[in-house]
Amino acid sequence: EILSLNDMLGKEKVSKLEVVQHGKTLRTPLGLTRSCWNDDRHPCGTCNRCRQRQELGLDKVVTALY
């Protein structure tokens, strides 16, 4: 059975910070993750997901936690 992170944490909504924190617990290499809709290897920096990741400082959070 495959469970979503929402199911695993028993929550309807999970914040991006919670995803990062849980990823750290599971030793997931989050630095290798991508959110980009336009490129599968490098973030384009212009799509909604790239801009959201930049605005949230997600890459900085991932680096700080690891």
Side-chain angles (χ1 to χ4, degrees), residues 2-3 8 11-15 21 24-27 29-30 33 36 39 45-46 50 52 55 65:
I2 298 174
L3 295 174
M8 289 172 28
K11 294 183 167 189
E12 188 173 320
K13 286 194 150 202
V14 178
S15 73
Q21 290 172 333
K24 181 181 178 194
T25 301
L26 296 174
R27 296 183 178 180
L30 294 174
T33 64
C36 185
D39 192 328
T46 59
C50 281
Q52 182 183 43
E55 289 169 8
L65 288 174

Side-chain angles (χ1 to χ4, degrees), residues 26-65:
L26 296 174
R27 296 183 178 180
T28 304
L30 294 174
L32 301 177
T33 64
R34 298 287 176 256
S35 302
C36 185
W37 288 344
N38 296 322
D39 192 328
D40 62 350
R41 295 197 133 222
H42 305 283
C44 72
T46 59
C47 72
N48 287 340
R49 291 293 182 183
C50 281
R51 286 197 318 267
Q52 182 183 43
R53 191 172 173 125
Q54 290 167 351
E55 289 169 8
L56 292 172
L58 191 58
D59 294 324
K60 291 177 185 174
V61 170
V62 169
T63 301
L65 288 174

